[in-house]
Amino acid sequence: MELDDLKGLINQKLIEGSLDKTEHNFANLLKGKANSVVSKIKKSLWFEIACSFLVVLLFLGIAFSSSYHSLKIYFGLFGAVFIPFTYILFYLLKKVNEFEHSVLPIKGNLQQLIKMLEDFTRRYFQFNMALLPICFLLAFYLGLNEKEPVAILDNLSIKLKVTKSLYIGFIIGYSIALIVSLVYFTKWYIRKLYGKYIEQLKSLLAELKEE
């Protein structure tokens, strides 16, 4: 091998090594940024876990202490629903923790994390939208069939001379307005806790693909 060829080969290896080091440093830098975003997602998950835990305790407490049959069924049922939901949040938290301790390549891990979070938020919204009408219909049905008289509502109905048909109409209108409001609130809530962070992770992934 000629001396010039040997120098050229050495220089090429040095350049390739430098490029590999630069890409490695860039990937590590992106992983640090991603971990910063992931830590915010973890805070959102812990917030929801704490809220779910409190809801389970509150709902089951009402179910066991209330003297109204309708409230026992309603809060007992939905208190039980929040138990598996809390487990799902813990499972997601575990997966997010795995990303923080994962090794390179960051690209594949980041893609998996984004997909998992997108699937979660989509199903989260769908679950809430399916649950809303069930909550209102069940509350409406249980309220109409409550055998134990509710003194406050009975006195208010007598004072305002509210007929049963007017009362039902008011409840239906109120429920529709509340459902529409909750749809927009749910979208805002999910975006605030997860959506904006998913967009940040996508932006980091785009930076990685450009390199």
Side-chain angles (χ1 to χ4, degrees), residues 167-180:
Y167 172 76
I168 293 174
F170 171 78
I171 293 297
I172 292 174
Y174 172 79
S175 299
I176 292 173
L178 192 57
I179 286 175
V180 172

Side-chain angles (χ1 to χ4, degrees), residues 20-173:
D20 289 342
K21 186 177 180 181
T22 301
E23 289 177 358
H24 183 77
N25 289 340
F26 180 75
N28 279 328
L29 177 63
L30 277 182
K31 190 173 190 301
K33 291 181 180 179
N35 283 342
S36 176
V37 178
V38 166
S39 66
K40 296 175 183 177
I41 294 174
K42 287 171 62 177
K43 289 180 181 178
S44 295
L45 286 169
W46 275 117
F47 170 76
E48 288 220 279
I49 288 171
C51 289
S52 295
F53 184 73
L54 290 175
V55 166
V56 170
L57 292 179
L58 177 63
F59 278 24
L60 294 182
I62 294 174
F64 285 109
S65 63
S66 177
S67 59
Y68 295 103
H69 183 69
S70 57
L71 292 182
K72 286 181 178 291
I73 295 175
Y74 187 86
F75 285 100
L77 177 62
F78 290 109
V81 167
F82 271 89
I83 295 175
F85 178 70
T86 306
Y87 171 79
I88 292 172
L89 291 173
F90 269 114
Y91 175 79
L92 185 62
L93 181 64
K94 177 185 175 183
K95 290 297 182 181
V96 171
N97 281 327
E98 287 177 0
F99 172 83
E100 279 193 311
H101 299 95
S102 63
V103 295
L104 297 177
I106 184 177
K107 181 179 177 181
N109 293 329
L110 198 53
Q111 286 174 330
Q112 290 180 2
L113 179 63
I114 291 171
K115 184 180 183 306
M116 180 181 65
L117 291 171
E118 284 184 325
D119 288 343
F120 170 73
T121 53
R122 183 173 62 255
R123 291 170 184 169
Y124 191 176
F125 180 76
Q126 291 171 347
F127 174 75
N128 277 276
M129 293 306 98
L131 200 60
L132 278 178
I134 295 174
C135 290
F136 281 100
L137 289 174
L138 181 61
F140 184 69
Y141 173 79
L142 292 173
L144 286 179
N145 291 275
E146 174 59 55
K147 297 178 181 179
E148 187 74 19
V150 182
I152 297 176
L153 293 179
D154 289 343
N155 292 335
L156 185 63
S157 178
I158 293 171
K159 288 181 180 179
L160 297 177
K161 297 180 180 180
V162 177
T163 62
K164 189 174 182 178
S165 58
L166 184 62
Y167 172 76
I168 293 174
F170 171 78
I171 293 297
I172 292 174

